[in-house]
Amino acid sequence: MDLPVTRTVASHLEVLSEAGSTNAVLNEHASDAGVWPHLSVLVTDNQTAGRGRLDRSWIAPPGASLAVSVLLRRLPAADVRGWIPLAAGVAMADAIADQLPDHTVAVKWPNDILVDGRKICGILAQATADAVIVGTGINTAMTAAELPVPSATSFAVLGVETDADRLLATYLRRLDVLVGGLTAAGDAVSSGLHSSASERCATIGLDVAVSLPGGRTLVGEATALDAEGRLVVSSGGVQHTVSAGDVVHVRPA
C-alpha cells in the first residue's frame, strides 16, 4: 500500500501486510514515545482479529477494508477526553464525504459513520497510560455479498474506488486539528467541536432506542449533544443524558 501523502502528515507511519488488531499492535509500542510520537499511525488492509465496542469482533476479507490506528499524545484535560471519539467521527466523516460528494455522510452517536444511512466505518478509542489510541475500520473494496449486515455499505458498493492515501491524509489532518483545538480551548463548545459534531450527527432529531446497563432500554427522541458529548434523549417529558450505550435509530413503519 503506497501512502506518500499520508507519510507527510503522520509523524510515524507503518503499513502492515496483516495484523490481528492495529489497536493492539499500536498499544504494544505506545510506551516508546521517542519512536512513536503524537500522530503515529498503523494501517493494514488485512486485519484478522479487530475489536469493536463492547468487545465485538470485526473481521473483513483481505483487501476489502482499511484498519487504521492513530496514537494521540497531545491530549486535552481528562474531563473532556470523552470528546475524542466524536472528534474522530467528525474527522473521518469529513474525509469520507470528500470522496463521496453526492452522498449524505453523517455520524451515528457515538462512533459509527453512515453513508446514506448505512454504516461504512466504526471507531474505537482506547486509553493507555499517557496516550489515546483511536482505531477505525473503513469498508473500502467490500462487495455487497461481503458486507457483514444489510445495514452496512462500502465505497465499492457505492461504485467508488477509494483513494486510500487521500482518505487517510485528510482524516489525520482533520483529527489533529479537532483534538488540538479541544486541547487548546479546554472545552468542546469553545473549540467548535461541539458545533461540528452536532452538525454531523445523524442521531439528533430521530426517535431512538438506547440499550442501557442493567438490561434497561430508553426510548425517546434524541434532541442534542450536551457540553460533555453525551446524547440528550427526551422521553416522557424528561431530558435524559446518555454517556454510553448501543443506540438504534427507530425507523418509521
Side-chain angles (χ1 to χ4, degrees):
M1 196 187 318
D2 190 22
L3 303 171
V5 180
T6 303
R7 288 189 183 279
T8 69
V9 180
S11 59
H12 179 92
L13 173 65
E14 287 199 12
V15 180
L16 305 179
S17 60
E18 178 181 314
S21 162
T22 54
N23 267 23
V25 175
L26 191 52
N27 186 56
E28 293 174 359
H29 299 296
S31 61
D32 191 348
V35 177
W36 297 85
H38 174 74
L39 217 64
S40 291
V41 180
L42 272 177
V43 60
T44 185
D45 63 0
N46 185 15
Q47 181 169 251
T48 59
R51 311 303 299 179
R53 289 183 66 246
L54 305 178
D55 205 35
R56 292 171 177 144
S57 61
W58 188 85
I59 300 172
S65 64
L66 288 176
V68 185
S69 291
V70 183
L71 187 65
L72 300 176
R73 295 193 185 276
R74 299 171 192 162
L75 299 174
D79 61 344
V80 293
R81 289 181 191 174
W83 277 97
I84 290 176
L86 292 169
V90 172
M92 184 56 78
D94 289 352
I96 290 172
D98 179 55
Q99 297 195 34
L100 296 173
D102 298 326
H103 297 268
T104 300
V105 183
V107 178
K108 178 189 173 188
W109 188 90
N111 68 333
D112 290 340
I113 312 303
L114 309 180
V115 176
D116 300 334
R118 297 180 180 275
K119 181 177 176 178
I120 198 169
C121 173
I123 295 168
L124 178 66
Q126 298 175 296
T128 72
D130 58 357
V132 171
I133 297 170
V134 181
T136 61
I138 311 116
N139 299 336
T140 52
M142 200 174 290
T143 66
E146 292 169 338
L147 293 173
V149 291
S151 57
T153 191
S154 70
F155 279 91
V157 168
L158 296 169
V160 175
E161 183 176 352
T162 315
D163 183 336
D165 194 22
R166 176 176 147 202
L167 178 75
L168 296 180
T170 302
Y171 167 61
L172 290 175
R173 289 192 188 103
R174 185 71 169 130
L175 177 62
D176 198 30
V177 166
L178 290 171
V179 175
L182 181 63
T183 301
D187 70 272
V189 175
S190 298
S191 74
L193 176 55
H194 181 275
S195 175
S196 296
S198 296
E199 290 174 3
R200 276 287 185 196
C201 187
T203 307
I204 295 173
L206 295 183
D207 289 337
V208 296
V210 186
S211 298
L212 301 174
R216 296 176 297 129
T217 300
L218 173 64
V219 178
E221 181 186 359
T223 59
L225 300 178
D226 75 1
E228 297 180 19
R230 299 176 299 185
L231 186 67
V232 180
V233 178
S234 177
S235 178
V238 177
Q239 300 292 313
H240 303 263
T241 54
V242 179
S243 58
D246 274 358
V247 175
V248 174
H249 291 176
V250 179
R251 309 295 182 187

